[in-house]
């Protein structure tokens, strides 16, 4: 069976690695990189570290408005699908790369497999919510990471081809955490003490483009007076500079701005932190799996299970709520197995073969 896999962003590279290893045991895989994340630190390094095969095609789309970026991806993927004539197009998550791959395959009557199906934040102001809803309604085989995501699909009348299998990130973490412990030197490089620092990631437009929100978040990090390690996304750095915040942060003794990290270094940094502050969907989930309390600077989340027992707390960009969470959130005693066990990638391989 010939499978075209479409990826384009950091979380998709991480999920793709264990699935591709399994798929290639029995099937022919053509890997398409849309170029949605194109900076070396946000793209190439993940392929190098995680042992992902070099993409067969790289569309090099880069950054643009949602409509333009998705349109260019759609045209590029369509050309590839016409040439390759695959049996299946496999997409991950909820990015513009996801919906472009699904739309191109749907127009050409090619079967679509969606890994990480059924997630809902019920916030249509988020582009990711539109992407995931449309992709689910186009897909033929839908792999759900949680029971909640499975129920979301059933509630929308999507019944055929739905499989609750657990989350592929369980496989990725199991494989990569030991690798990170062995290879990463980020803790000693930054000269920080395990459990004595916060990790911060910010990249969503609501938090970067809106000056008042970005100022509020930065002020909360300063006033919390805790050691902060802040790998700065290229988009975020641009706005910090535009708003005159970058130099201001550099003067703060408790905040250390660093370049974006490869996955192994980032994993090591998160696994040994006291808390994680993020607006990333994937990092919320990784924090839960790593048993690190998470403060999510969003008003809603698609990973609602992580809110149980206060492993994850939603603060939005409100300064006082962020500071309060930093001071008060403790590591809960219970951590439910909400994302399943190792072996999800193998389930995907087997279900693709038999569906």
């Amino acid at each position: 069976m010939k499978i075209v896999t479409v990826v384009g962003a950091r979380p998709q590279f991480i999920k793709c690695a264990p699935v591709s290893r399994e798929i290639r045991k029995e099937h022919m895989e053509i890997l398409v990189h849309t170029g949605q994340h194109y900076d070396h630190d946000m793209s190439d390094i993940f392929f190098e570290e995680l042992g992902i095969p070099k993409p067969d095609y790289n569309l090099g789309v880069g950054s643009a408005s949602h409509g333009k970026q998705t349109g260019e991806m759609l045209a590029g993927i369509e050309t590839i699908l016409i040439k390759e004539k695959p049996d299946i197009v496999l997409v991950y998550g909820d990015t513009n790369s996801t919906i472009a791959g699904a739309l191109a395959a749907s127009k050409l009557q090619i079967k679509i497999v969606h890994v990480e199906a059924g997630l809902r934040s019920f916030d249509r102001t988020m582009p990711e919510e539109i992407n995931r809803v449309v992709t689910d309604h186009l897909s033929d085989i839908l792999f759900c990471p949680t029971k909640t995501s499975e129920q979301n699909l059933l509630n929308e009348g999507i019944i055929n081809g739905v499989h609750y299998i657990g989350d592929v990130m369980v496989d990725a973490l199991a494989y990569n955490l030991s690798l990170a412990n062995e290879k990463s030197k980020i803790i000693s490089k930054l000269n920080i003490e395990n459990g004595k620092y916060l990790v911060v990631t910010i990249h969503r437009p609501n938090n970067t483009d809106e000056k008042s929100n970005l100022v509020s978040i930065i002020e909360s990090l300063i006033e919390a007076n805790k050691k902060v390690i802040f790998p700065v996304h290229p988009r975020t750095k641009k706005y910090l500079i535009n708003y005159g915040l970058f130099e201001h942060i550099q003067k703060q003794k408790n905040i250390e701005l660093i370049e974006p990290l490869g996955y192994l270094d980032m994993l090591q940094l998160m696994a040994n932190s006291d808390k994680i502050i993020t607006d990333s969907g994937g990092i919320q989930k990784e924090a839960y799996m790593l048993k690190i309390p998470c403060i999510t600077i969003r008003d809603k989340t698609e990973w609602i299970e992580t809110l149980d027992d206060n492993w994850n707390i939603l603060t939005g960009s409100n300064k006082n709520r962020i500071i309060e969470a930093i001071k008060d959130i403790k590591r809960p005693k219970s951590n439910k197995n909400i994302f399943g066990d190792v072996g999800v990638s193998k389930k995907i391989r087997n279900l693709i073969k038999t569906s």
Side-chain angles (χ1 to χ4, degrees), residues 4-17:
V4 165
T5 295
V6 179
V7 295
R10 169 196 179 276
Q12 294 167 335
F13 308 148
I14 298 166
K15 296 166 200 165
C16 168

Side-chain angles (χ1 to χ4, degrees), residues 12 36 64-70 73 92-100 103 114 119-136 203-209 235 279 281 298 300 302:
Q12 294 167 335
Q36 182 172 341
S65 66
H66 283 285
K68 182 178 180 182
Q69 186 183 65
T70 306
M73 291 176 182
Y92 292 87
D94 53 22
T95 70
N96 289 341
S97 300
T98 311
I99 193 170
L103 283 168
H114 187 198
L119 300 184
R120 297 291 184 271
S121 67
F122 302 102
D123 181 359
R124 291 292 180 95
T125 66
M126 293 178 62
E128 293 85 356
E129 184 77 352
I130 305 299
N131 291 344
R132 63 176 73 106
V133 170
V134 174
T135 299
D136 283 339
H203 78 283
R204 291 190 180 275
N206 186 55
N207 287 328
T208 58
D209 302 16
R235 173 192 187 85
D279 57 11
R298 286 164 48 182
K300 295 182 180 180
E302 61 273 29

Side-chain angles (χ1 to χ4, degrees), residues 86-87 103-112 140:
D87 303 289
L103 283 168
S106 176
K107 297 285 187 178
L108 295 170
Q109 300 295 301
I110 300 170
K111 185 180 287 188
I112 303 163
D140 302 281

